[in-house]
Amino acid sequence: MSILFSAGAVIATTLGVVYASIKGWHAFHRAVGITPGTLEYVPPSSEPELPNLLQLNIDKAVLPLLPPSVLSQLSRIDNKADIYQQWRDALTQQGHTVAANEAQFVVRKLLSERIPAMLSDYQTLAQHHQRIADMDSANDQNLDSALPALTLLTELLDLTESRLDILLDQCRDSSYQELVIMKRYLDKLDDGM
């Protein structure tokens, strides 16, 4: 008899825990804004997601025509340019004089003028290549003239990114050297005591 009461108590406890868990699970989903039991399929977008560029002034009409690899590279360049600009602004706010040099001038010129011009040239070439390919598709000719242009564009963006990396390294090294100088100063004070 006691076995029946024990088994009944175990079953009742298990059912209570399961019921409380389900209610808690549903309450959690409602709290975060999800309706339990409803799944909605969202097909993947055929168009790549366009980056939100902060430092690069690129015509928005050019971006949808670029391959995803170029878009991600532009996003990286823009993020690094933004970090560099914030770093320079922070140094200026701290009262440091930020000396301009040729490398900074070249990068600024690349970001403001040359990258938009390169992308515009690539867009023009890609559009004309597509028109020629559409016209010659009946003849089954394969034109690969856009591939070297994409490779060259990628190389130019790589060079721009490496120049930005050098400037960021210079900023980091400059800040690090300031800390080293302060450490030496404090060490000298300790040696003098």
Side-chain angles (χ1 to χ4, degrees):
M1 191 77 159
S2 67
I3 293 176
L4 288 175
F5 285 124
S6 298
V10 168
I11 291 173
T13 304
T14 304
L15 289 176
V17 168
V18 169
Y19 178 77
S21 298
I22 290 172
K23 284 295 191 179
W25 183 253
H26 285 273
F28 168 74
H29 279 78
R30 280 191 303 277
V32 296
I34 301 171
T35 305
T38 59
L39 294 176
E40 184 178 323
Y41 175 72
V42 177
S45 174
S46 61
E47 295 181 22
E49 186 176 324
L50 300 178
N52 185 18
L53 303 176
L54 301 171
Q55 296 292 324
L56 295 173
N57 294 321
I58 298 173
D59 184 15
K60 299 296 183 195
V62 174
L63 293 177
L65 303 173
L66 297 173
S69 61
V70 173
L71 290 175
S72 66
Q73 195 169 23
L74 284 173
S75 181
R76 276 195 323 269
I77 288 172
D78 185 68
N79 287 335
K80 288 179 181 183
D82 192 48
I83 291 169
Y84 178 70
Q85 186 60 45
Q86 289 177 9
W87 205 318
R88 286 180 53 92
D89 292 346
L91 288 175
T92 304
Q93 288 176 355
Q94 293 172 0
H96 296 283
T97 304
V98 182
N101 59 26
E102 184 179 357
Q104 293 170 351
F105 175 78
V106 168
V107 168
R108 210 172 300 126
K109 189 85 163 170
L110 282 169
L111 295 175
S112 65
E113 296 175 19
R114 300 298 185 226
I115 287 179
M118 288 187 289
L119 294 174
S120 178
D121 292 342
Y122 174 78
Q123 176 195 12
T124 302
L125 181 64
Q127 285 176 339
H128 290 295
H129 174 264
Q130 186 61 43
R131 291 168 71 194
I132 291 170
D134 290 345
M135 186 176 67
D136 290 339
S137 64
N139 298 337
D140 291 334
Q141 291 180 352
N142 187 7
L143 300 175
D144 287 333
S145 63
L147 185 60
L150 178 61
T151 304
L152 185 59
L153 177 65
T154 304
E155 288 175 12
L156 291 169
L157 291 175
D158 284 341
L159 289 171
T160 303
E161 189 173 0
S162 67
R163 288 179 182 269
L164 260 171
D165 288 339
I166 290 169
L167 287 178
L168 286 171
D169 288 344
Q170 287 174 353
C171 284
R172 185 192 67 228
D173 292 343
S174 173
S175 295
Y176 181 76
Q177 287 302 318
E178 291 293 327
L179 291 174
V180 168
I181 290 170
M182 183 55 70
K183 170 94 169 80
R184 286 183 192 155
Y185 173 73
L186 292 175
D187 287 345
K188 262 195 174 198
L189 285 176
D190 288 343
D191 291 341
M193 292 184 156

